[in-house]
Amino acid sequence: MSVEKTGGPSNYEYVSARVRARRAKLFAEEDYRKLIRMGPGEIARYMEETEYEDEINALGSRYDGVDLIEYALNRNLAKHFEDLLDWAEGRLYTLIARYLRKFDAWNVKTALRGIYSGADSETIAEDFTYAGEFDRQFLDRLAEAGSIEDAVELLDGTRYGEPLAAAFEDYEESGVLIPLENAADRTYYEGLIEGATKSGNRATQLYAEFLQAEIDFRNVRNALRIARSGAEIDPEDYFIEGGDLFDASDVAQLSGNVDELVTFVRDSSYGDDLSDALNELERADSLIGFEHALDAALLEYSNHLSHVFPLSVCPVLAYILAKEREVENIRAIARGREAGLTETEIEDELVIL
Amino acid sequence: MYEFVLAFVESSVLLAQDGAASGGPAFTAEAAAALSVGLAALAAGYAERGIGSAAIGAIAEDESLFGTGLIMTVLPETLVILALVVVFIVG
């Protein structure tokens, strides 16, 4: 029992039992197959009969169609992830909270984008996902900030304070949001890995390895996007520290050429796990397929870990990923139907294990 | 937990000294049998701790698991029952 002294022992048994039960309730392949054939209204009605019932009923009078589905999905996601933090104690709590900070970064970016586009505070607040470390009042104040400068000042004192303040100068010079968004994302990823590798327990080491894989995949994705867009962007600006596949200079060198990058990844330690994804990239020459294959590989790996280490943070992590995937899949179906895509086109957008 | 063990060792040392003074064995067979039941119960309790919290978690999500959860939780009790056999052999 290697447990950090802060906050008492972790209750892995309790949390992983609950998480497994919730995981079993996620939509299966048949559900998706049914959903693909439905229109937005029918999807909402279908969701009403599943665990999304509360959210659909609560929001049903205010929104309809795809908006209803989207808000219901977001709210449900936030509810489930908040539950996770409610249950967890001790070190387990720290590990989960660390991962859920993703939503803080998301909320910060939402607020910045909203303010930039001149949306009013209510519209911004509607788009928040209340699943991270920031509480509701703080986020509401963030949504009410009159200008980007005010928002950055509000965030001063949080972990995003310093990087955002530094990026704010770039923003003032260039007038585009990218430096600020980038700073938020990088703060999240760098905080994620920090301290995770030092602890000795095998399951925690695997957790760290998993996070490293996620960072590496993110870097591969960014590098590929830069390489394919052919834009004059310095890839080092977008490089996230903490992975073990690249360092910043590798990325700078490789992102000029897609083929070299693919060979590099194929020869790396991820080669086996990603061979499907890489084949897909070469076959279809499409980034979307590759990115979905990356997601599927990550999902599969987390699943595998949750079976190997049932009493660790791994099942929780696998659940978080699977739930996010479900939300993204349903959203893709609803949006796809609305835009009039065919069933096969929508199916290509889904990531199903 | 260590305090309990220490307290136990201290009192058993006292017992041993008493026994030595009166000439009988320091630790009688009955005392050893009682100890074995006690230790078995302690181990069963420790095992049930984890199973119990997992069972409660599962029941909280799905009430139909109550029966299964209960059975799984009390499975380690068999340890205590087996330890009771020792009492009958000795007694």
Side-chain angles (χ1 to χ4, degrees):
Chain A
M1 292 211 292
S2 65
V3 172
E4 246 182 20
K5 282 197 180 83
T6 50
S10 313
N11 48 352
Y12 290 114
E13 296 92 351
Y14 181 74
V15 176
S16 52
R18 290 202 79 157
V19 156
R20 267 166 198 282
R22 294 229 166 154
R23 220 202 127 131
K25 281 188 212 145
L26 294 182
F27 283 7
E29 215 180 327
E30 309 96 79
D31 291 311
Y32 289 129
R33 212 163 286 144
K34 273 185 230 156
L35 285 174
I36 285 179
R37 286 192 224 100
M38 295 177 184
E42 282 171 286
I43 295 178
R45 227 167 300 141
Y46 186 84
M47 283 164 67
E48 207 180 330
E49 283 157 25
T50 64
E51 55 149 344
Y52 293 97
E53 188 188 348
D54 289 348
E55 286 77 16
I56 294 275
N57 285 338
L59 296 166
S61 56
R62 267 195 285 162
Y63 307 101
D64 61 346
V66 184
D67 285 343
L68 172 62
I69 295 172
E70 191 136 322
Y71 288 125
L73 286 172
N74 270 347
R75 225 183 235 209
N76 186 272
L77 184 88
K79 182 180 86 180
H80 281 294
F81 290 174
E82 237 165 75
D83 280 351
L84 290 181
L85 291 178
D86 273 350
W87 302 332
E89 286 166 10
R91 175 147 179 85
L92 181 58
Y93 178 91
T94 327
L95 292 178
I96 299 176
R98 190 197 288 261
Y99 196 75
L100 290 183
R101 278 190 201 130
K102 180 189 281 188
F103 293 98
D104 288 338
W106 162 268
N107 286 337
V108 168
K109 283 193 290 180
T110 309
L112 291 177
R113 276 183 207 166
I115 296 166
Y116 185 74
S117 66
D120 61 67
S121 61
E122 250 171 58
T123 324
I124 299 175
E126 268 174 8
D127 286 334
F128 282 147
T129 308
Y130 296 98
E133 217 173 14
F134 294 156
D135 57 22
R136 218 164 258 262
Q137 283 113 331
F138 181 78
L139 285 172
D140 286 345
R141 268 196 298 158
L142 197 60
E144 278 160 17
S147 67
I148 303 254
E149 194 172 2
D150 290 345
V152 171
E153 243 167 59
L154 253 177
L155 285 162
D156 188 38
T158 66
R159 56 177 42 244
Y160 299 94
E162 271 176 46
L164 281 182
F168 185 70
E169 289 166 22
D170 285 348
Y171 162 74
E172 279 197 315
E173 270 171 37
S174 60
V176 288
L177 272 183
I178 298 169
L180 287 171
E181 294 187 348
N182 210 11
D185 275 341
R186 279 171 73 150
T187 316
Y188 161 67
Y189 278 109
E190 279 159 24
L192 191 62
I193 202 84
E194 164 195 79
T197 39
K198 286 175 196 144
S199 42
N201 177 322
R202 179 79 183 124
T204 331
Q205 277 170 14
L206 281 168
Y207 172 73
E209 237 168 70
F210 174 82
L211 297 181
Q212 264 174 359
E214 194 172 327
I215 292 177
D216 280 335
F217 287 7
R218 176 75 41 186
N219 277 331
V220 170
R221 198 176 294 206
N222 285 346
L224 266 177
R225 280 189 188 162
I226 293 173
R228 286 178 56 103
S229 70
E232 288 290 315
I233 307 171
D234 185 5
E236 281 184 56
D237 283 349
Y238 293 87
F239 179 72
I240 302 160
E241 299 274 348
D244 61 359
L245 181 59
F246 305 121
D247 53 39
S249 58
D250 285 339
V251 170
Q253 219 170 23
L254 289 167
S255 58
N257 186 325
V258 180
D259 292 334
E260 268 179 42
L261 189 67
V262 170
T263 325
F264 183 84
V265 177
R266 214 183 268 281
D267 292 341
S268 73
S269 53
Y270 297 112
D272 289 340
D273 301 320
L274 292 185
S275 62
D276 285 349
L278 293 167
N279 290 339
E280 172 73 23
L281 178 68
E282 283 178 337
R283 186 184 60 81
D285 197 33
S286 105
L287 260 191
I288 295 176
F290 177 72
E291 290 185 3
H292 287 168
L294 274 187
D295 284 339
L298 207 58
L299 211 55
E300 211 163 297
Y301 183 55
S302 74
N303 235 350
H304 166 74
L305 280 188
S306 81
H307 290 297
V308 181
F309 294 96
L311 292 186
S312 71
V313 70
C314 298
V316 185
L317 207 60
Y319 170 71
I320 294 179
L321 280 181
K323 180 77 193 170
E324 276 182 310
R325 237 19 272 182
E326 178 183 273
V327 166
E328 268 167 51
N329 280 345
I330 299 177
R331 186 180 294 149
I333 295 175
R335 290 270 174 222
R337 291 303 292 188
E338 194 195 28
L341 298 182
T342 63
E343 285 174 21
T344 25
E345 275 172 322
I346 297 176
E347 238 168 82
D348 286 343
E349 289 292 321
L350 304 183
V351 179
I352 304 170
L353 268 190
Chain B
M1 209 175 97
Y2 292 112
E3 297 87 68
F4 288 115
V5 175
L6 280 179
F8 176 76
V9 168
E10 265 170 30
S11 57
S12 60
V13 165
L14 278 178
L15 261 180
Q17 283 166 348
D18 285 353
S22 61
F27 209 61
T28 60
E30 283 86 358
L35 183 64
S36 77
V37 178
L39 284 177
L42 199 67
Y46 181 72
E48 279 164 21
R49 184 200 75 112
I51 304 172
S53 70
I56 288 296
I59 295 168
E61 289 297 323
D62 181 356
E63 244 167 88
S64 69
L65 289 171
F66 181 76
T68 326
L70 191 70
I71 291 174
M72 289 300 174
T73 311
V74 297
L75 269 186
E77 279 305 322
T78 49
L79 273 181
V80 187
I81 297 170
L82 288 177
L84 266 183
V85 174
V86 178
V87 175
F88 294 115
I89 293 172
V90 171

